[in-house]
Amino acid sequence: MTTTYDPRDPVYLDEADVRDELTRVYDICQGCRRCTSLCTSFPTLFEMLDGFDDRDAGRLTPADQDHVVDVCVQCTLCHANCPYTPEAHEWNVDFPRLMLRARAMQHANGITSMRHGATSRLLGRTDLIGSLGSATAPVANRIVGARPGSATRKVLQKVTGVSSVRLLAPYAKQRFSTWFAKRPTVGFADRNGRVTVFPTCHVEYHDTAIGQDLVKVYERNGIGCGVTAAGCCGTPWLHAGRIAEFAKIAQKNVATLADEVRAGTDIVVPQPACSSVIKNDYPVHVSGPDAQLVASRTFDAAAYLMDIHARTDTSLDTDFRGDTPSAITYHAPCHLRSQDIGLPGRDLMTLTGATVTVVRQCSGGDGRWALRAGNEDVAVPMADILGEQVVAAGGDVVVGDCSLSNTAIVEVTGLEVRHPLQVMARAYGIAEE
């Protein structure tokens, strides 16, 4: 048995070795049970083990082990909650990375189905699909915007493996990077620095208004903006166990982002899953100092502004004369909370004078795991609980950093959901395009 989370280790993909390590960690988890309430994986594991008098994890079959892996949504909150992590204990437990290793092993050893592989290849090509979707937005949006459960969506599910009952984000007719390239040059002193915006696939191809408001809020605060030449961060490949595809994307992006950092910019990311992958997974899968450099200079978009506000040599504009809601319901996404940077989106909106109520329920998004047909039994109930908590909070507006979670909230509540940077833009009186 080898306790390793290094994808370059020779035994990383060895099935027998992975299954022995699953047994070891499952046994530690069942003796602790601190993470029972965090996601579906742990109740699933504990229910199976409670069926044995001795609760011996060694009695689980490979199918039992894989069932726990299959329902993991990679929220990574268990790592933040675990007392036995590599940083804290000799037991060296990193449950999320073990789940990634198990998925990679499943793919490498042909355990996943051909259908699963085909869907992974589709969901992983976000830039290709996004480019086509934006270029054909009127037609594409008729398809993805068809009523969930309709004949159109059922055909789409049969062809792509994307669930016919989940709400899908529409494509923007104009991509964010196209908008940025066409906008007039803004001349001002970069008194608070310069950044490279890593827009993420969702902002680039779907909700471009988030990127537009980010740029305008940053420029309002004396921060010059550029847009990265890097593509999708690769999360769908990583979470599907396709580590070769992920590593190829990560290496290319690291090279691009490192050059941009060396040119004097920081990297800001408006979606927490993507910033988490760049900071935490790129250094694991890409050798050399450039991955560490990129990770050290990558920031959550709201956290970057709060840092400007906290420093003594910079200043954040707090003259809010626009639309400032008095009560905000804020969803704190898992991939933001797991970064251990607090809740900068909440803190940023509090500067406007708003009272912010935080909802911490996971949406079950996991990159695009929740959009796969067959995962609805786990993902939809999690989204339903999130929606109930959002409605119960009763804010004037609903806000969240994660667009996948926001789409889930819209799906189950029908409420409009904004990004923290959009709240800031309206509070400054910046009109939405």
Side-chain angles (χ1 to χ4, degrees):
M1 177 182 62
T2 306
T3 299
T4 181
Y5 305 112
D6 181 359
R8 290 157 293 194
D9 192 304
V11 300
Y12 187 78
L13 299 176
D14 181 84
E15 181 174 2
D17 199 83
V18 171
R19 296 209 177 279
D20 284 345
E21 175 64 358
L22 287 171
T23 298
R24 182 186 79 91
V25 171
Y26 287 175
D27 188 57
I28 292 171
C29 290
Q30 76 87 16
C32 173
R33 305 204 176 201
R34 179 183 288 192
C35 297
T36 303
S37 63
L38 294 182
C39 75
T40 307
S41 286
F42 295 100
T44 299
L45 171 63
F46 302 150
E47 182 178 355
M48 288 190 292
L49 292 177
D50 287 344
F52 306 128
D53 291 339
D54 55 3
R55 296 177 178 171
D56 179 9
R59 298 176 64 179
L60 295 176
T61 66
D64 292 336
Q65 291 183 330
D66 290 346
H67 185 43
V68 177
V69 176
D70 292 342
V71 297
C72 170
V73 297
Q74 276 298 312
C75 67
T76 69
L77 290 179
C78 57
H79 183 78
N81 198 51
C82 179
Y84 307 121
T85 61
E87 304 85 7
H89 199 279
E90 63 183 358
W91 284 353
N92 196 25
V93 173
D94 190 330
F95 194 89
R97 290 206 181 280
L98 178 58
M99 297 297 99
L100 290 177
R101 183 186 177 192
R103 286 179 177 174
M105 177 275 292
Q106 291 171 347
H107 169 67
N109 290 278
I111 295 173
T112 55
S113 67
M114 292 180 62
R115 179 63 168 173
H116 183 277
T119 304
S120 296
R121 288 191 293 274
L122 174 74
L123 294 179
R125 292 180 168 89
T126 52
D127 283 320
L128 174 61
I129 300 301
S131 298
L132 292 173
S134 290
T136 62
V139 175
N141 287 338
R142 289 195 189 99
I143 298 173
V144 301
R147 179 177 54 82
S150 65
T152 299
R153 289 294 304 277
K154 289 179 180 178
V155 171
L156 182 65
Q157 174 177 313
K158 189 172 184 61
V159 173
T160 66
V162 173
S163 172
S164 64
V165 302
R166 301 308 307 268
L167 182 67
L168 303 178
Y171 292 98
K173 294 180 181 179
Q174 183 184 63
R175 293 163 55 174
F176 165 71
S177 58
T178 304
W179 169 86
F180 187 88
K182 290 182 176 180
R183 66 191 298 261
T185 301
V186 177
F188 61 91
D190 300 338
R191 68 178 188 275
N192 287 333
R194 290 195 60 82
V195 299
T196 293
V197 179
F198 187 100
T200 75
C201 297
H202 193 94
V203 172
E204 173 70 5
Y205 302 112
H206 299 283
D207 201 345
T208 58
I210 294 174
Q212 294 167 3
D213 285 330
L214 183 156
V215 170
K216 293 173 185 177
V217 168
Y218 269 53
E219 290 178 344
R220 171 75 171 247
N221 286 283
I223 306 169
C225 295
V227 176
T228 185
C232 170
C233 69
T235 299
W237 288 121
L238 176 65
H239 289 183
R242 308 290 288 259
I243 58 173
E245 291 91 339
F246 173 73
K248 183 178 179 180
I249 287 175
Q251 289 167 0
K252 182 179 179 180
N253 283 354
V254 163
T256 299
L257 293 168
D259 286 344
E260 292 167 350
V261 169
R262 280 191 284 265
T265 69
D266 292 320
I267 303 161
V268 295
V269 188
Q271 301 288 305
C274 303
S275 61
S276 177
V277 164
I278 294 172
K279 291 194 292 184
N280 298 318
D281 293 294
Y282 278 15
V284 173
H285 290 261
V286 180
S287 301
D290 278 2
Q292 295 291 346
L293 172 66
V294 168
S296 68
R297 302 312 303 170
T298 296
F299 302 90
D300 171 79
Y304 195 83
L305 291 179
M306 286 306 300
D307 182 60
I308 294 290
H309 183 62
R311 285 157 46 188
T312 58
D313 59 335
T314 55
S315 60
L316 193 67
D317 184 358
T318 56
D319 184 14
F320 302 109
R321 300 184 181 184
D323 179 14
T324 54
S326 59
I328 295 173
T329 298
Y330 170 65
H331 174 238
C334 300
H335 285 111
L336 177 71
R337 292 158 56 198
S338 67
Q339 293 182 49
D340 196 24
I341 57 174
L343 300 178
R346 174 201 61 188
D347 299 340
L348 196 62
M349 293 184 294
T350 300
L351 296 178
T352 69
T355 299
V356 182
T357 300
V358 178
V359 172
R360 291 178 168 84
Q361 166 65 32
C362 180
S363 70
D366 183 16
R368 293 197 162 138
W369 180 91
L371 301 183
R372 288 176 178 267
N375 291 344
E376 299 92 343
D377 289 348
V378 174
V380 172
M382 296 178 75
D384 286 338
I385 296 171
L386 172 58
E388 291 170 1
Q389 294 184 8
V390 166
V391 171
D396 298 327
V397 297
V398 181
V399 183
D401 305 84
C402 173
S403 290
L404 284 170
S405 296
N406 293 351
T407 300
I409 293 172
V410 174
E411 177 184 330
V412 299
T413 69
L415 298 171
E416 178 186 0
V417 188
R418 308 175 191 176
H419 189 278
L421 272 297
Q422 294 180 289
V423 173
M424 294 299 292
R426 304 294 88 78
Y428 282 137
I430 299 172
E432 183 174 6
E433 294 195 17

